[in-house]
Amino acid sequence: MNGCVAVFDLGKTNIKVVVFDLSGDALAERARANAPLAADAQCPYLSLDARGAWAFLIGALKDVGARFPIKAISIATHGGAGVLVTDDGLALPPMDYEFGGYGVIDADYEAARPPFEETLSPSLPRGLNLGRQIFYLERHFPAEFAGARAFLAYPQYFSWRLSGIMASEVTSLGAHTDLWRPTEGGLSSMVDRLGWRRLFPPMRNAWDTLGTLRPEVAAATGLAPEVRVVCGAHDSNASLVPHLVSRRDPFTVISTGTWVIIMAVGGKARLDPKADMLANVDVRGEPVPTARFMGGREFAVLAGEPPADADEADVAGVVASGALALPAFSDQGGPFAGRIGRIEGEPPATPKARAALATLYASLMTAHLLQRLEAPGDLIVEGGFTRSPAFAAVLAALMPGRRVVVAPTSAGAAAGAALLAHWGEQREPPRLDPARAWSLPGLEAYRRRWERAL
C-alpha cells in the first residue's frame, strides 16, 4: 500500500492523530489533552467526551490530509470504554470507568459476572470491567438500552463513525471486560445469560478493512472517499503488534502511559486475580498473561505536574536518603489497590528529587510485577515513560541479567495501529535501543527494604 496511515490514538489522558509513512516513520502529530465530562442535567454520570474526540479527529484529519497522502485510517483507544449506539448515533453517552457511582449495582453485578476461570478477568474497581458499565446502563436507562442497536468498544465506535460499518473485535472485548472467554475465543456466558448477544456485531480482525470513508466524512476532512478504515484495537495490544510480526521467541512488553501494562507474550505464569493479574488477548486472538498498575497516574501524584526530569545523581540521592514510596497512589487496579500510598522517611523537597522518587516507585512496582508474572525474554519498554531515560535505566539496574530495551519513540500503540493497515506485509523488526543500567549504590538494599514494607 502506497501513501500514509493516519492513526487515531485515544488514551485516557491524551488524544492524538499521528501520520506514519510506509516505512513506519512518524511524519506528523496533532495532539491535545483528554478529559471526561462531569455529570450534569443531560447526563447524570461521568462520561467520555466522545463528541469532543470526534470533532478533534475530523479537524486533525483535515489538517494532516492537506499535507500528506492519507490512504488508510487506523484506531487505538484505551480499554474499559464502549458505546451503546442506535443506527444514527449515541443511545447514551459512553461511561467513564472512573465514575464513582457503580457501587449501587456492584452486588448484583458480582452475582451475575462469570468466574475468573472462564474470563481470566478479575473483578476490578469502578467501571474497569466493561460488562459492569453495560449492566449499569441497562438498569438505570431501560428505555434507551432497549432501543440500542449495538454496543461498540471504543476503537470500533470510531471506525463505525468513519466507515458506517459496525464490528466487534477481540483485543477490546478481551481486555478485562467479563465479556470474553480467552481460552475458547467467544463471548462469555454472562452475555447470553443477560440477553446481550444482540448488541455485539460480527467479529472482525483488528487489521480488517471495514470499508471506506462515509461521504460526509470525506467531505468534512477533504480526504479521498476511497481512504480505507481499519477496524482498530485496544491500545496496549496495539503496542504488541510490531513485535508479534517480527519475533518468534517469548518476550515481554511494558506498555507505559496512564497505566503500566506488562504483557508476557509466551508467558506461562499462574494468574492471581487478587493482584490484578489477568489475560489480555492479542490481535491474533491469543491470551497474553498480563499484570498492571496505574503507573502514569501514580507517577504524576508523586512527581507533581509537570514532572521534572530526574538524572542518575537525583535517583542515587533518593536511594541514599532512604525515602520510600509505598503503594498505592491510585485505587484503580494494581496489586495493592486497596492500600493507601505513603512515603517513609523524609519526603523529597525538590522537583527533581520528587521525580526521582516517582521513578524508583514505578520501576520497583514494574520489577515486582515482572517477577510475579515470570515475564519471559526481552523486556521492551514502550510508551510515555520512554520520553526520559530514567525509568528504563532504573529498571535495568533492578533486573540484572535481563535485557531491557527501549522503543525509540513514545508512539508504541500508534505505531502498532499503523502496522495493522499493513498486516501481512513483510516488515523490518522495530529498532530498539538497549537501556544502560544506572549505577545506584545501595539499590539492592533499598529494594529489599521496599519489599519488606509491602
Side-chain angles (χ1 to χ4, degrees):
M1 184 194 76
N2 296 319
C4 299
V5 180
V7 173
F8 185 40
D9 182 1
L10 198 165
K12 193 67 169 64
T13 306
N14 296 290
I15 178 174
K16 56 190 175 183
V17 168
V18 188
V19 178
F20 292 87
D21 65 13
L22 188 60
S23 64
D25 292 329
L27 304 178
E29 179 179 311
R30 302 292 181 268
R32 70 163 174 80
N34 189 30
L37 301 176
D40 58 22
Q42 282 71 46
C43 180
Y45 51 80
L46 189 72
S47 62
L48 301 175
D49 186 10
R51 290 189 174 91
W54 176 252
F56 168 82
L57 173 60
I58 295 299
L61 289 175
K62 184 176 182 178
D63 185 15
V64 299
R67 298 180 54 208
F68 302 99
I70 305 299
K71 299 297 184 182
I73 301 170
S74 188
I75 299 160
T77 82
H78 66 84
V83 189
L84 276 172
V85 299
T86 65
D87 285 323
D88 302 319
L90 297 176
L92 288 163
M95 300 192 78
D96 190 297
Y97 64 67
E98 297 189 75
F99 172 53
Y102 292 105
V104 296
I105 53 96
D106 275 350
D108 289 342
Y109 182 72
E110 290 297 322
R113 64 188 296 271
F116 179 77
E117 293 72 23
E118 178 186 335
T119 63
L120 302 181
S121 173
S123 180
L124 297 174
R126 303 192 188 184
L128 282 165
N129 298 120
L130 195 51
R132 197 181 308 265
Q133 298 182 30
I134 302 175
F135 196 87
Y136 182 97
L137 293 173
E138 182 177 28
R139 277 147 185 75
H140 285 78
F141 304 93
E144 292 88 345
F145 190 90
R149 159 79 184 281
F151 183 83
L152 303 177
Y154 223 27
Q156 287 70 56
Y157 168 72
F158 289 101
S159 60
W160 168 61
R161 292 291 306 272
L162 290 166
S163 70
I165 306 299
M166 292 185 181
S168 298
E169 188 276 327
V170 69
T171 64
S172 291
L173 290 184
H176 52 79
T177 65
D178 294 338
L179 301 170
W180 192 254
R181 292 174 288 129
T183 57
E184 299 177 44
L187 293 168
S188 74
S189 60
M190 180 179 71
V191 172
D192 285 322
R193 192 165 58 251
L194 297 180
W196 293 350
R197 184 172 285 268
R198 70 172 183 86
L199 294 171
F200 292 91
M203 297 296 299
R204 300 291 298 270
N205 295 312
W207 59 82
D208 283 349
T209 295
L210 297 185
T212 55
L213 290 179
R214 287 180 169 182
E216 60 269 30
V217 174
T221 59
L223 297 177
E226 62 269 20
V227 168
R228 298 187 299 120
V229 179
V230 178
C231 183
H234 172 225
D235 57 4
S236 296
N237 276 283
S239 69
L240 290 179
V241 170
H243 313 291
L244 289 176
V245 300
S246 61
R247 289 173 175 256
R248 296 294 176 264
D249 294 333
F251 62 92
T252 299
V253 167
I254 303 165
S255 175
T256 65
T258 303
W259 291 84
V260 172
I261 302 179
I262 303 164
M263 294 170 284
V265 178
K268 305 296 183 184
R270 182 177 179 181
L271 301 175
D272 179 1
K274 295 180 180 178
D276 202 356
M277 297 172 72
L278 53 103
N280 271 306
V281 181
D282 69 25
V283 295
R284 306 166 303 179
E286 297 294 326
V288 179
T290 300
R292 54 189 215 136
F293 68 106
M294 211 172 193
R297 184 73 58 80
E298 294 189 272
F299 188 99
V301 170
L302 288 163
E305 290 281 13
D309 278 333
D311 58 26
E312 192 168 355
D314 299 318
V315 177
V318 172
V319 171
S321 77
L324 294 175
L326 297 167
F329 298 91
S330 165
D331 64 354
Q332 297 182 62
F336 307 109
R339 303 187 190 181
I340 303 299
R342 70 186 194 279
I343 296 175
E344 281 193 358
E346 188 67 28
T350 68
K352 293 189 72 176
R354 287 195 293 272
L357 181 65
T359 301
L360 280 163
Y361 173 81
S363 303
L364 285 163
M365 285 286 290
T366 301
H368 175 81
L369 291 177
L370 286 167
Q371 290 182 333
R372 293 201 63 170
L373 200 58
E374 300 175 21
D378 287 352
L379 307 178
I380 305 167
V381 181
E382 301 255 9
F385 282 9
T386 65
R387 296 189 184 100
S388 164
F391 172 77
V394 176
L395 182 64
L398 289 166
M399 304 292 292
R402 297 298 301 273
R403 184 168 183 256
V404 179
V405 292
V406 183
T409 75
S410 61
L419 281 181
L420 292 175
H422 301 291
W423 191 265
E425 300 176 18
Q426 190 68 30
R427 310 297 297 178
E428 290 294 321
R431 182 171 70 85
L432 298 169
D433 300 326
R436 179 183 71 85
W438 281 354
S439 177
L440 302 169
L443 180 63
E444 186 55 34
Y446 183 90
R447 176 184 190 161
R448 288 196 298 269
R449 284 185 51 232
W450 187 84
E451 290 176 340
R452 286 196 301 269
L454 292 178

